Amino acid sequence: MESDTNTTLTSSPTFSHSSNTLSSSSPPQLVMTPCAACKILRRRCADKCVLAPYFPPTEPAKFTTAHRVFGASNIIKFLQELPESQRADAVASMVYEAGARIRDPVYGCAGAICQLQKQVNELQAQLAKAQAEVVTMQLQQANLVALICMEMSQTPQESPQQSPDNFITSPSHNSGYQNNLSFFEDNTNLNSMWEPLWT
C-alpha cells in the first residue's frame, strides 16, 4: 500500500514537467507589437490579422479615419471578400473616401469629383479660347502679308536716270543750245553797229 502511494507521488512531478515542456514549445499566437487597428480597438493582434498589413502601428490616423466612416467590422468584411492582390488598393480607396466624407458629409467623394470636373471644363474652355485667338492672329498675319505683296506688285517702277550723253544729244537740248548761239551772235552784230556812234 505504501509502495503504491510512493509511486503515485514520484510520477506526478514527471507529468507536470512534461506539460510545461509542451506548453513552452508551442508557437506563440500573438505578436508583440499590435497593428494600429487592434491598438485602437484595444484587442490582441493575432499573427494572421487581416488589418495588420494595411494599418501599421506608425499610422494610427489612417485606421481612425476609415473606422469612423465604415466601421471595423465592415472593413474586415470587405478585405476578407477580396483577394490579397486587391486589398491594398481597397484600403487606400476606403481611407480616401472616408476622408472626403469627413470633410464634406453631404457629398463626400462626389463633391470632390464634381469640383475637379468643373475645373477641367473651365480649363478646356480657356484652351479652346486661346486656340481660337491663335487661329485669328494667323489669319490676320496672312491677310497682311497678302496685302503688302499686292501693293508692291501694283507700284510702278521708277524711270531710269538720263545719262549726260543722252541729255546732250537729245533734240530739245540741241535746239536750246542753238537758240542761245544765235542770240549771242545777234548781240555781237548789234554791238558792232553801235560802235561808230560812240566813237
Side-chain angles (χ1 to χ4, degrees):
M1 186 70 181
E2 291 179 357
S3 62
D4 295 338
T5 305
N6 293 331
T7 304
T8 305
L9 293 175
T10 55
S11 62
S12 60
T14 305
F15 177 76
S16 63
H17 178 71
S18 62
S19 63
N20 292 331
T21 305
L22 292 174
S23 62
S24 61
S25 63
S26 61
Q29 297 296 327
L30 301 177
V31 294
M32 297 302 295
T33 303
C35 64
C38 294
K39 189 175 181 180
I40 293 172
L41 297 174
R42 296 180 181 180
R43 69 180 186 182
R44 293 181 180 181
C45 189
D47 289 337
K48 296 182 179 180
C49 179
V50 181
L51 303 175
Y54 314 106
F55 299 102
T58 56
E59 299 179 357
K62 187 176 180 181
F63 178 76
T64 303
T65 303
H67 175 57
R68 183 176 175 182
V69 176
F70 295 101
S73 60
N74 290 327
I75 295 173
I76 294 172
K77 183 179 179 181
F78 292 155
L79 295 179
Q80 288 177 347
E81 293 176 353
L82 293 173
E84 293 184 1
S85 60
Q86 298 179 1
R87 290 179 181 180
D89 295 335
V91 170
S93 178
M94 284 189 289
V95 171
Y96 179 80
E97 187 173 353
R101 181 65 62 179
I102 292 172
R103 291 190 300 269
D104 189 354
V106 177
Y107 297 104
C109 287
I113 293 171
C114 292
Q115 185 66 26
L116 293 175
Q117 188 64 41
K118 182 179 178 181
Q119 293 179 3
V120 169
N121 294 334
E122 292 177 354
L123 292 175
Q124 288 178 348
Q126 293 178 5
L127 179 61
K129 184 178 179 181
Q131 290 176 348
E133 291 179 355
V134 169
V135 172
T136 302
M137 293 179 66
Q138 289 177 350
L139 291 175
Q140 291 178 355
Q141 183 179 5
N143 293 333
L144 182 60
V145 171
L147 182 61
I148 292 173
C149 294
M150 187 181 298
E151 290 181 354
M152 290 178 64
S153 63
Q154 291 178 356
T155 302
Q157 297 180 355
E158 296 180 356
S159 60
Q161 295 180 356
Q162 289 183 341
S163 62
D165 295 336
N166 293 331
F167 180 76
I168 294 173
T169 57
S170 61
S172 60
H173 182 266
N174 291 333
S175 61
Y177 180 72
Q178 290 176 359
N179 292 330
N180 291 332
L181 289 177
S182 62
F183 179 75
F184 180 73
E185 291 176 355
D186 293 338
N187 289 334
T188 305
N189 295 329
L190 289 174
N191 290 331
S192 61
M193 292 175 62
W194 286 99
E195 283 179 357
L197 297 176
W198 289 106
T199 54

